[in-house]
Amino acid sequence: MALVTLNGKEIQVDGGRLILDVAREAGFEIPTFCYHAKLSTLASCRMCLVEIEGMRKLQASCATPVMDGMKIETESPDVVSARASQLEFLLINHPLDCPVCDQAGECDLQDLTFKYAKPGGRYRWKKRTFDKRDMGSTMTKEINRCIACRRCSRYCEEVSGDFAITELNRGNALEMGSFYHSPIESEFIGNTVQLCPVGALTSSLFRFKSRVWDLISTETICPHCSVGCSITSESKYVSQKATHMLQTQHLGKTPALEKTEVKILRNIASDGKGVTEISLCDRGRYGYHYINSDIRLKAPMVKENGRLVESTWEKALSLVASKLASIKAEKGAESIGGITSGICSNEDNFIFQKFFRNVIGTNNIAIPGDYSLSRSSVLRLLAMRGQVQWVKTADCILILGSSVGTDTPIVSMHAGMASRLRGANLITAMAGENRLLDTTAQKRLNYVKGSELTVIGALTRAVIDGKLYCESFGGKRKKELDVVEAGLKGINLKDLEVLAGLAVDDIESTARSLSEASKGVVLFGDDFIAGEKSEEIVEALYNLFSLLGYRGEKGQAIFSPASGNLIGSMDMGIAPDYLPGYVAVGSKEAGKAPQEKGLDWNAMVPAASDGKLQALYVMGDDPVETASDKDKVKNALNKLDFIVVQDLFMTKTAELADVVLPALTYAEKSGTVTNLEGRVQLLDVSMKPRVDGRKDWQIIRDVAQSMGAALCFNDDLRIVDDGEVEVLEEISKTVPHYAAVTQEAIGRDGLMSDVSGIKQAALKTVEIVGHKKTADKDYPLQVVPGRDVFLNGSMTWRDEGLLELSPGPRILVESSDGAAHGLSDGDVITVETKEGTLKGTVSLTDRIFPGVVVVPVNHPELESWKLFGGKNQETLGRLAK
Amino acid sequence: MIKQFFKTVFLVDLLQGMALTFRYNWTKKIITLQYPDKEKWVPYERFRGLHYQAVDEEGELKCVACELCARICPAGVITIEGYEDEKGNRRPSVYTMDLHRCAYCGLCVEACPEDAINHGAGYEFAGFKREDAVMTLDKLLKNKANEKDPEKMGTVVSARFVRDKDGIKVIEDGKKRYRWW
């Protein structure tokens, strides 16, 4: 503790803290430019100078720790005049173009000049000037305005780790920019725009569109991945065409004339809220254009004579209700299935399952995807809800699968940061592209696609052989150890090279690092558990984590799926075999719900082909576009008698539908979503609906009402427009681990759902047969499905901003392989596998391993799914020009 | 009492008043403005009339869509949307003033850093439709015709009244011009 005197006020503070932090906490304002709490100290802007008794010169408070007995003055005449002089220096070269600068209104230089500077400057000569240069597709650089605070370059060094922006030249010629002025390729570059205290780095997508004081800010949650970053959506009323309109925002009124519409103009990170710290990935930051898009569904559509035509809500709803009722009466409730998506909110999903269980009377509900998990596996995933905070502080991080990097960039960014800044041991094991961590990973393992289970088996084997498990497994839990070991007979570490393409040393040292870590974390995403063996993989992962003790204090496992609210929809019981709160179907607690297990997505497709399934209700998903075997799904859906789709766009699935109902985006509705940690967070309404749509749960409530059933609010028929509060009340009553969740309790940072009450079953044996690496002389390369950071679903495919950001459908070939085939960037090549061929543009990279070709699967126009034969397994291929 | 009665009956007050009127009619200068039939008043230089958008020597808009006018306007009259033109300059794609609400306080003109929005001398924009008083960018550019000419301010100019299919207009012919006072 230290006793310091701040402007004559004595305060007790912890020794070693910065004067700046202490003074700000005590309520004294100290202006800064270069200082940022989450970045390293630079102390170059000299705005934060303070006077300390006994020190001859003024000291930078952002770099000086407090000491006992210090007497600090923050407003002495010397300090005030130093600030004014410093601002005069900064304004020597800073152009006075505030009227055209997008930063004006939120510019630190503008604010501080207004507050501290003396009027007029003494500089009378020419200002230093640079050319304006575009930096990539999202950023415009006006380097004349730069005050060299180096927040951007420090961010790129310390946080994102991609060195996208750096200092070029020195002194008067200092310019922030990319090496050789090359276009920037980074997932996090948008953050530098937000960090820039002046208008030197501005967003091209926001450029000149609005002044910041016109924007209406709403704090909400990013829908683009399961991390659930807190964002501030900023919207504005803009005129539809260049016609008249009233600008009345600052009068607090809605526009009086009709021809206006509200648009989201930018998203910014809500720093320090929820899981967010400075950073958003560019997918979240720029992925709002689809909301403003004109191709959104505008009104309900009904199929007449084979064509979808616009209709009214009454007509469409009554058609859905009567059709579902008649199919239920004729063919039984089991002939109706429902699929939803991991994007919809908890309220949407809760009402959806309630509709199916209480009104239709079936458990046929599922989320389509690359994997479908039964109740026991999903319960295992509950134990793998680590916290993002852990990644930041962990000393050993293992990343399994490349989708962690592409689907949840923020999590892998934190992993890279932990490795770079704190020396954490970062190990990556990937089949395909190693997107973010190639420069920072201490060890990179390359397994063969399809051998995920073998990788886990090998790690478990190494843990058991090296006695690296928790102490208790040597003693009283020996039996459980034996249970796990029983399944590993097929795994011999000596054969591993042949099996999954992994070196024994690597596996052993990885197992040792994980075991020796005082704070370890294992991250895995969608692509690691995808495929037919997903249940076994999850169970094997659970066994491994149990052995290592990665269930709390020592380490954590984090499952990071791509879908924004996948965890929440699992909690809401979107599954054929469990109810909200993971209550097993058919158990005593299940109550009135149907007693028989329903069909999951993998069973629905053949059931649709066989005619067992007659109707499908689709909420916010597009299985025809996202399935790994599109033709099969499309043919199956074509055989259905009746399809209802509620979505934002005319998706491929919606084109097959009999009734299409327009839904609303995350920005137009309130509700709750649950992130990968189990943190329940609030969505807020950023703008009034742009189309005649309804919230997903409202549509289902209306369908239920048309069917004569009271659905919501404890079966008490009430029509409330903004009824999320009532739905949430019911959720918290029904789902035990959401018992504490209310809108007030969620608050600013979200509320962790408490899953500790849900008991895990004992460890089970998972029979692991080693994956045998196949070899074929004619097909020497491993073809691996890859993903694009910016495009990961039907919203992003229709987002102009993200389409611009995306590098496009590129086939990634390792540099040395490319050289062997005589390829250079931009060549058009053909990838051939036994299942099919694909033509595309090649991009050479060092981010993948030799012998691997990564084919993007989330560019629908590329139809790359044909290469893999609809399966998630090892695929061999070759390149041809 | 009786005097009052006779004054009332024989309209003495009225005749006295009429006498004054006739005397003024013959002895004083006529100051009635023959508007709109023969004359039109050109207001003084500080008159805050119909707004217009100024252009520079090359005929390009001066406005940079900084929205300072919209910000300072106490009545929320002005709506602006910016865009980046081919030369990379910030320009308004929409600049609309709803003059129904305008109090002609002149703050927008004060705030403009580019001298783009100005008060002209115009005051004749009564219309039959609401839209007539909603000034879009095109109209504001046309309004430049009302730009103030320092030499002519505060004068009465000869004009003629025209009624055609476009509406009614008072067109200056400039044949005669004199100071009002």
Side-chain angles (χ1 to χ4, degrees), chain A residues 201-218:
Chain A
L201 301 175
T202 54
S203 160
S204 308
L205 297 170
F206 180 64
R207 192 168 170 78
F208 299 167
K209 288 224 172 99
S210 170
R211 306 312 306 238
V212 292
W213 54 78
D214 284 342
L215 299 170
I216 305 167
S217 302
T218 316

Side-chain angles (χ1 to χ4, degrees), chain B residues 4-177:
Chain B
Q4 185 66 38
F5 174 77
F6 278 101
K7 254 186 158 182
T8 313
V9 170
F10 292 104
L11 304 171
V12 174
D13 288 348
L14 181 67
L15 290 172
Q16 278 177 348
M18 292 306 284
L20 183 76
T21 307
F22 274 96
R23 196 164 75 239
Y24 268 54
N25 202 2
W26 299 113
T27 59
K28 298 270 177 179
K29 184 183 163 195
I30 300 167
I31 56 165
T32 309
L33 203 67
Q34 302 290 309
Y35 178 80
D37 295 317
K38 289 178 182 166
E39 286 172 331
K40 182 176 174 179
W41 179 62
V42 182
Y44 291 102
E45 202 170 345
R46 285 166 61 195
F47 179 74
R48 297 193 292 262
L50 187 57
H51 306 75
Y52 68 89
Q53 279 282 354
V55 291
D56 62 11
E57 297 82 44
E58 285 150 27
E60 202 171 327
L61 266 178
K62 279 187 174 178
C63 178
V64 293
C66 71
E67 297 191 26
L68 290 184
C69 47
R71 179 70 182 151
I72 203 161
C73 178
V77 168
I78 307 172
T79 301
I80 303 173
E81 271 165 47
Y83 78 108
E84 188 174 9
D85 72 2
E86 315 81 58
K87 293 175 190 162
N89 295 324
R90 188 182 181 121
R91 295 283 177 238
S93 61
V94 174
Y95 190 110
T96 309
M97 301 184 87
D98 183 0
L99 293 180
H100 290 116
R101 319 173 81 181
C102 184
Y104 299 91
C105 67
L107 283 175
C108 50
V109 179
E110 289 276 308
C112 184
E114 304 283 333
D115 289 338
I117 187 80
N118 285 290
H119 281 300
Y123 51 84
E124 295 163 319
F125 56 98
F128 294 103
K129 297 192 294 295
R130 281 186 157 256
E131 284 72 22
D132 290 346
V134 177
M135 295 292 155
T136 57
L137 190 53
D138 298 343
K139 288 194 202 168
L140 286 168
L141 280 167
K142 271 185 206 152
N143 290 349
K144 196 168 181 295
N146 296 316
E147 198 175 351
K148 291 174 190 166
D149 183 346
E151 288 184 1
K152 291 177 185 166
M153 304 314 284
T155 58
V156 176
V157 63
S158 58
R160 65 197 159 83
F161 179 70
V162 179
R163 187 196 294 269
D164 60 16
K165 64 178 187 319
D166 296 334
I168 51 176
K169 271 171 277 181
V170 183
I171 299 170
E172 295 175 30
D173 55 14
K175 281 178 195 158
K176 263 165 73 183
R177 185 183 292 277

Side-chain angles (χ1 to χ4, degrees), chain A residues 17-26 28-32 35-36 48 50 60-66:
Chain A
R17 292 187 63 201
L18 295 174
I19 294 176
L20 182 73
D21 294 341
V22 171
R24 281 185 176 173
E25 222 164 78
F28 298 110
E29 201 177 335
I30 297 181
T32 53
Y35 174 80
H36 194 288
C48 66
V50 291
S61 63
C62 71
T64 316
V66 291

Side-chain angles (χ1 to χ4, degrees), chain A residues 24 51 82 141 187 194 221 226-228 235 302 334 336 440 463 497 563 741 816 823 860 864:
Chain A
R24 281 185 176 173
E51 191 170 329
K141 188 170 79 163
E187 293 87 52
Q194 194 179 341
I221 304 298
S226 58
V227 177
S235 58
V302 172
E334 291 72 38
I336 302 174
T440 42
V463 167
E497 202 107 21
S563 299
V741 176
S816 60
L823 295 173
S864 51

